[in-house]
Amino acid sequence: MFESLEPMPPDAILGLMEAFRADPRDHKIDLGVGVYKDDRGETPVLRAVKQAEERLLARESTKSYVGPAGAEGTNARLQSLLFGDALSTRIDERMGVFQTPGGCGALRVAAEFVLRCKPDAVIHVPDPTWANHVPLLGDAGVEIREYPYFDRETSGLRFDAMAEHLGGLGPGDLVLLHGCCHNPCGADLDSGQWQSVLELAQQRGFTPFVDLAYQGFGDGLEEDAFGIRLLAAGLPELIVASSCSKNFGLYRERTGAIALLSGDGRTASTARSQLLNVVRGIYSMPPSHGGAIVEEILGDESLRRDWKQELDAMRDRINGLRSLLVERFDARGDGGRFGFIERQRGMFSFLGIDPGQVKALREEHAIYMIDSSRINVAGASRENVDRLCDAVMSVL
Ligand code: LMR
């Protein structure tokens, strides 16, 4: 039976990660996979995570199952982190927050749940969106359509075209939005545009479905939750897929959550039971370790303070690198071509160069980025920035 299969091409992002690891050149620069890196190119375990792990190890008395929802304490902490304490209390009866295996787990569970609600539902995703959104959501069997989002000419948003698309939607449509730090383009909705999305959803009855994978990496923990809080306060229904991979640096621990807001308490209770039944049928229950770390950190004032400091430092480093790249490109006479990098947020931006130029950077300069020219800004550093800018200018 297996011999009828055709081999799959390597994943665009993970394949590049492998190619980078295999490259023997010492001066190689990794702007590929979206993991945070410090000035030495390392992705360290956060101090607060290490401390929380030590405490958990000392205290842990069982490895018994946690159940499909994950740990109640973790879910409560994550709900407050996402929605803030006041709003969280206000919508608690209509809300369900459940631990998932990373943000990916939340996305897949959401897609399966949506199918149960409405087998002919359509999820509208931005053009472009994270490459893995399409298999994660589409392989569940939900129809995926694109809406206009990023303007490759201006490196800004095509918000009028996006609003026009959303204006044609209705109940049974879901709109996937990136809560902050858009992956791959780095261009986010501003507060006025979030307000317009809210009003369109209120008028048209579509359901926003927000992927919040970078809370704290854009402008701050509270600032980056602006969109989901506005929507949760103003709409009957909302789905949020959140990830602790980046803001807690828990990548391989696969730690995330799905938040489901329903129109009233009774519907919420049914929705929660359906969602947990979906979970049981896919992976039964989420891994516990990452969630326990998050709960420990968020529940302890001093660990939380330390975590926030490290998170702030990661964000400041990325935003500082954005300014540095623009300054160094400017010094090389780019005529403002790369000025947009400073206006964007999160790990990613498109350089706006073609696949041939991306290939030349990889082969001739050992600089790795996705073919679309998406760069992980955190892969740059004070030490490599001049070489990086020289190389980019040389292939233009
Ligand atoms: C990325 O976009 O590079 C990250 O989210 C990692 C991944 O799994 O693709």
Side-chain angles (χ1 to χ4, degrees), residues 31 325 329 332 337-338 351 353 357 361 365 367 369 375 385-396:
L31 306 179
L325 280 164
F329 275 126
R332 283 160 177 78
R337 173 178 176 149
F338 294 110
L351 278 188
I353 58 175
Q357 292 166 324
L361 284 172
H365 302 275
I367 295 173
M369 66 188 69
I375 58 166
V385 66
D386 286 311
R387 201 160 56 73
L388 172 60
C389 293
D390 283 340
V392 171
M393 295 301 284
S394 80
V395 301
L396 290 184

Short mmCIF file of all heavy atoms in Angstrom, two decimals, residues 31 325 329 332 337-338 351 353 357 361 365 367 369 375 385-396:
data_model
loop_
_atom_site.label_atom_id
_atom_site.label_comp_id
_atom_site.label_asym_id
_atom_site.label_seq_id
_atom_site.Cartn_x
_atom_site.Cartn_y
_atom_site.Cartn_z
N LEU A 31 18.17 33.59 8.81
CA LEU A 31 17.01 34.48 8.89
C LEU A 31 15.75 33.68 8.54
O LEU A 31 14.76 34.23 8.09
CB LEU A 31 17.17 35.65 7.91
CG LEU A 31 18.47 36.46 8.01
CD1 LEU A 31 18.50 37.55 6.95
CD2 LEU A 31 18.63 37.09 9.39
N LEU A 325 18.82 47.95 10.94
CA LEU A 325 18.84 47.53 9.54
C LEU A 325 18.52 48.72 8.62
O LEU A 325 19.20 48.94 7.61
CB LEU A 325 17.81 46.41 9.31
CG LEU A 325 18.26 45.01 9.75
CD1 LEU A 325 17.06 44.06 9.85
CD2 LEU A 325 19.28 44.43 8.76
N PHE A 329 21.07 50.15 5.86
CA PHE A 329 20.70 50.16 4.44
C PHE A 329 20.76 51.60 3.92
O PHE A 329 21.22 51.86 2.81
CB PHE A 329 19.29 49.58 4.23
CG PHE A 329 19.26 48.08 4.12
CD1 PHE A 329 18.44 47.32 4.95
CD2 PHE A 329 20.02 47.42 3.17
CE1 PHE A 329 18.40 45.92 4.83
CE2 PHE A 329 19.99 46.02 3.05
CZ PHE A 329 19.18 45.29 3.89
N ARG A 332 24.04 52.75 2.99
CA ARG A 332 24.51 52.16 1.72
C ARG A 332 23.73 52.71 0.53
O ARG A 332 23.78 52.15 -0.56
CB ARG A 332 24.37 50.63 1.79
CG ARG A 332 25.46 49.99 2.63
CD ARG A 332 25.10 48.60 3.11
NE ARG A 332 26.21 48.01 3.84
CZ ARG A 332 26.53 48.32 5.11
NH1 ARG A 332 25.80 49.21 5.77
NH2 ARG A 332 27.57 47.77 5.70
N ARG A 337 14.44 52.36 0.31
CA ARG A 337 13.77 51.12 -0.15
C ARG A 337 13.38 50.21 1.02
O ARG A 337 12.34 49.57 0.99
CB ARG A 337 14.72 50.38 -1.11
CG ARG A 337 14.20 49.03 -1.51
CD ARG A 337 15.13 48.35 -2.49
NE ARG A 337 14.62 47.00 -2.76
CZ ARG A 337 14.77 46.36 -3.90
NH1 ARG A 337 15.39 46.92 -4.89
NH2 ARG A 337 14.28 45.14 -4.06
N PHE A 338 14.26 50.13 2.04
CA PHE A 338 13.99 49.20 3.14
C PHE A 338 13.45 49.89 4.40
O PHE A 338 13.42 49.30 5.47
CB PHE A 338 15.26 48.39 3.47
CG PHE A 338 15.68 47.49 2.35
CD1 PHE A 338 16.82 47.74 1.60
CD2 PHE A 338 14.91 46.38 2.01
CE1 PHE A 338 17.20 46.92 0.55
CE2 PHE A 338 15.28 45.55 0.96
CZ PHE A 338 16.42 45.81 0.23
N LEU A 351 11.73 41.10 2.52
CA LEU A 351 12.68 42.04 1.94
C LEU A 351 12.18 42.56 0.60
O LEU A 351 12.61 43.61 0.14
CB LEU A 351 14.05 41.37 1.76
CG LEU A 351 14.95 41.31 2.99
CD1 LEU A 351 16.33 40.80 2.57
CD2 LEU A 351 15.08 42.67 3.66
N ILE A 353 12.61 40.94 -2.31
CA ILE A 353 13.52 40.56 -3.40
C ILE A 353 13.02 39.26 -4.01
O ILE A 353 12.17 38.58 -3.40
CB ILE A 353 14.99 40.42 -2.91
CG1 ILE A 353 15.11 39.39 -1.79
CG2 ILE A 353 15.51 41.78 -2.43
CD1 ILE A 353 16.54 39.12 -1.33
N GLN A 357 17.34 36.14 -6.21
CA GLN A 357 18.19 36.92 -5.30
C GLN A 357 18.31 36.23 -3.94
O GLN A 357 19.37 36.22 -3.32
CB GLN A 357 17.61 38.34 -5.16
CG GLN A 357 17.74 39.13 -6.46
CD GLN A 357 16.89 40.39 -6.48
OE1 GLN A 357 15.78 40.43 -5.96
NE2 GLN A 357 17.42 41.44 -7.10
N LEU A 361 21.80 34.90 -2.25
CA LEU A 361 22.21 35.20 -0.87
C LEU A 361 22.59 33.92 -0.14
O LEU A 361 23.55 33.89 0.64
CB LEU A 361 21.08 35.91 -0.12
CG LEU A 361 20.88 37.39 -0.49
CD1 LEU A 361 19.61 37.95 0.15
CD2 LEU A 361 22.09 38.22 -0.06
N HIS A 365 26.49 33.92 -0.14
CA HIS A 365 26.78 34.65 1.11
C HIS A 365 26.39 33.88 2.37
O HIS A 365 26.52 34.41 3.47
CB HIS A 365 26.06 36.00 1.10
CG HIS A 365 26.42 36.87 -0.06
ND1 HIS A 365 27.52 37.70 -0.06
CD2 HIS A 365 25.84 37.03 -1.28
CE1 HIS A 365 27.60 38.34 -1.22
NE2 HIS A 365 26.59 37.95 -1.99
N ILE A 367 23.54 33.30 3.54
CA ILE A 367 22.45 33.98 4.25
C ILE A 367 21.14 33.27 3.89
O ILE A 367 20.78 33.19 2.71
CB ILE A 367 22.39 35.47 3.87
CG1 ILE A 367 23.68 36.16 4.36
CG2 ILE A 367 21.15 36.15 4.46
CD1 ILE A 367 23.84 37.59 3.92
N MET A 369 17.09 32.65 4.03
CA MET A 369 15.74 33.17 4.27
C MET A 369 14.79 32.36 3.40
O MET A 369 15.22 31.69 2.45
CB MET A 369 15.64 34.66 3.96
CG MET A 369 15.83 35.01 2.51
SD MET A 369 15.94 36.80 2.22
CE MET A 369 17.50 37.21 2.97
N ILE A 375 12.23 37.47 6.12
CA ILE A 375 13.38 37.34 7.02
C ILE A 375 12.90 37.31 8.46
O ILE A 375 11.91 37.95 8.83
CB ILE A 375 14.41 38.50 6.86
CG1 ILE A 375 13.76 39.88 7.11
CG2 ILE A 375 15.07 38.45 5.49
CD1 ILE A 375 14.76 41.00 7.31
N VAL A 385 25.24 42.58 10.95
CA VAL A 385 24.34 43.45 10.20
C VAL A 385 25.02 44.08 8.97
O VAL A 385 24.40 44.20 7.90
CB VAL A 385 23.69 44.53 11.11
CG1 VAL A 385 24.71 45.51 11.64
CG2 VAL A 385 22.56 45.23 10.41
N ASP A 386 26.29 44.46 9.10
CA ASP A 386 26.94 45.10 7.94
C ASP A 386 27.13 44.12 6.79
O ASP A 386 26.86 44.44 5.64
CB ASP A 386 28.29 45.72 8.37
CG ASP A 386 28.04 46.98 9.18
OD1 ASP A 386 27.25 47.82 8.71
OD2 ASP A 386 28.60 47.10 10.28
N ARG A 387 27.54 42.90 7.15
CA ARG A 387 27.72 41.89 6.11
C ARG A 387 26.38 41.55 5.45
O ARG A 387 26.29 41.38 4.25
CB ARG A 387 28.34 40.63 6.73
CG ARG A 387 29.02 39.73 5.72
CD ARG A 387 29.99 38.80 6.37
NE ARG A 387 29.37 37.99 7.41
CZ ARG A 387 28.55 36.98 7.17
NH1 ARG A 387 28.24 36.65 5.93
NH2 ARG A 387 28.03 36.29 8.17
N LEU A 388 25.37 41.51 6.28
CA LEU A 388 24.02 41.22 5.76
C LEU A 388 23.58 42.31 4.78
O LEU A 388 23.14 42.01 3.65
CB LEU A 388 23.06 41.10 6.96
CG LEU A 388 21.58 40.98 6.69
CD1 LEU A 388 21.28 39.76 5.85
CD2 LEU A 388 20.81 40.90 8.01
N CYS A 389 23.73 43.55 5.17
CA CYS A 389 23.27 44.65 4.30
C CYS A 389 24.13 44.72 3.03
O CYS A 389 23.59 44.94 1.93
CB CYS A 389 23.32 45.99 5.05
SG CYS A 389 22.11 46.05 6.39
N ASP A 390 25.43 44.52 3.17
CA ASP A 390 26.29 44.50 1.97
C ASP A 390 25.83 43.43 0.99
O ASP A 390 25.72 43.67 -0.21
CB ASP A 390 27.76 44.19 2.36
CG ASP A 390 28.46 45.41 2.94
OD1 ASP A 390 27.97 46.53 2.71
OD2 ASP A 390 29.47 45.22 3.65
N ALA A 391 25.56 42.24 1.54
CA ALA A 391 25.18 41.12 0.68
C ALA A 391 23.86 41.42 -0.02
O ALA A 391 23.72 41.19 -1.24
CB ALA A 391 25.09 39.84 1.51
N VAL A 392 22.89 41.93 0.72
CA VAL A 392 21.58 42.23 0.11
C VAL A 392 21.76 43.27 -0.98
O VAL A 392 21.24 43.12 -2.11
CB VAL A 392 20.55 42.69 1.18
CG1 VAL A 392 19.28 43.19 0.52
CG2 VAL A 392 20.23 41.55 2.15
N MET A 393 22.50 44.33 -0.69
CA MET A 393 22.69 45.38 -1.70
C MET A 393 23.38 44.80 -2.95
O MET A 393 23.09 45.21 -4.07
CB MET A 393 23.53 46.55 -1.14
CG MET A 393 22.87 47.31 -0.01
SD MET A 393 21.29 48.08 -0.41
CE MET A 393 21.81 49.50 -1.37
N SER A 394 24.28 43.83 -2.74
CA SER A 394 25.03 43.27 -3.87
C SER A 394 24.17 42.42 -4.80
O SER A 394 24.52 42.23 -5.96
CB SER A 394 26.24 42.47 -3.37
OG SER A 394 25.82 41.19 -2.95
N VAL A 395 23.07 41.89 -4.30
CA VAL A 395 22.22 41.05 -5.19
C VAL A 395 21.06 41.84 -5.81
O VAL A 395 20.31 41.30 -6.61
CB VAL A 395 21.67 39.80 -4.47
CG1 VAL A 395 22.79 38.92 -3.93
CG2 VAL A 395 20.67 40.16 -3.38
N LEU A 396 20.91 43.10 -5.42
CA LEU A 396 19.76 43.85 -5.96
C LEU A 396 19.90 44.09 -7.45
O LEU A 396 21.00 44.35 -7.92
CB LEU A 396 19.64 45.21 -5.23
CG LEU A 396 19.19 45.17 -3.77
CD1 LEU A 396 19.03 46.58 -3.23
CD2 LEU A 396 17.90 44.38 -3.59
#
